[in-house]
Amino acid sequence: MNEGKNVMNQILKKTIAGLKVGDTFTVSRTFDEQVMQEFSKMTNNYNPVYSDEKFVKVKNLKGKVCPGLLVGSLVTENGGQIGWLASKLDLRFKKPVYIGDKVTCSLTISCMASKGLTEAKAVCRNQDGQIVLEAFLKGYIPVDQEIQILQTIP
């Protein structure tokens, strides 16, 4: 938990200092069975590829997989720490993420326009360096008064 808070503080400080094209933000998470079960319960998504070994075997997977949107939450974690207000999010799932996999998501700002309109690309890789998810984002980053308010957040 402290690691996440530390990452948040670093991302928040960078946002306050001013974002620019090329800035990259990175978060990581290991997906365990408990997190996967909590996510399934919260979303009411009980796909058998998350829980049933026989079903997983028939699908020719090497184990139970994590829900794609759970993995995609790494993209929104990066954006959320920035204070990004998303208007578009395009997720492209490349490979399954299995229970116990550690996934690192790097989000890079690719374009900035007026009034904070910004685009970015995110790439999520597993512990073996394989790309498991790519995302393209569009939305609004904090500007002007919003930055001033961010400066007051502990």
Side-chain angles (χ1 to χ4, degrees):
M1 189 67 126
N2 289 339
E3 182 181 328
K5 183 73 169 170
N6 188 33
V7 168
M8 183 181 100
N9 288 337
Q10 291 172 2
I11 294 173
L12 181 62
K13 285 178 185 175
K14 181 62 182 158
T15 301
I16 291 168
L19 301 173
K20 62 185 183 314
V21 171
D23 282 347
T24 299
F25 303 92
T26 303
V27 295
S28 296
R29 187 179 318 152
T30 300
F31 293 96
D32 63 24
E33 181 109 28
Q34 180 183 349
V35 169
M36 190 179 70
Q37 288 174 359
E38 289 171 5
F39 186 84
S40 290
K41 184 177 179 181
M42 182 175 50
T43 59
N44 204 29
N45 179 352
Y46 295 101
N47 188 324
V49 296
Y50 312 146
S51 60
D52 189 282
E53 295 290 346
K54 289 184 272 184
F55 193 83
V56 166
K57 194 175 245 180
V58 168
K59 285 289 215 186
N60 292 318
L61 296 165
K62 68 178 189 179
K64 294 185 266 184
V65 300
C66 296
L69 289 180
L70 175 58
V71 178
S73 72
L74 286 170
V75 176
T76 63
E77 180 180 344
N78 262 320
Q81 304 303 348
I82 292 169
W84 189 294
L85 180 59
S87 60
K88 182 176 183 175
L89 177 60
D90 178 11
L91 300 173
R92 297 178 185 179
F93 303 100
K94 301 294 189 174
K95 290 189 177 291
V97 172
Y98 296 97
I99 293 173
D101 281 357
K102 180 177 182 178
V103 178
T104 300
C105 177
S106 295
L107 181 147
T108 302
I109 294 176
S110 57
C111 180
M112 295 178 76
S114 64
K115 299 182 183 177
L117 182 60
T118 303
E119 295 179 9
K121 179 180 179 182
V123 177
C124 298
R125 297 177 186 272
N126 65 15
Q127 66 279 352
D128 299 322
Q130 299 171 321
I131 296 174
V132 296
L133 183 145
E134 290 180 326
F136 301 91
L137 304 82
K138 189 173 187 176
Y140 296 87
I141 59 170
V143 294
D144 303 327
Q145 289 181 329
E146 297 156 345
I147 297 279
Q148 293 173 2
I149 293 169
L150 288 177
Q151 292 172 333
T152 68
I153 297 175

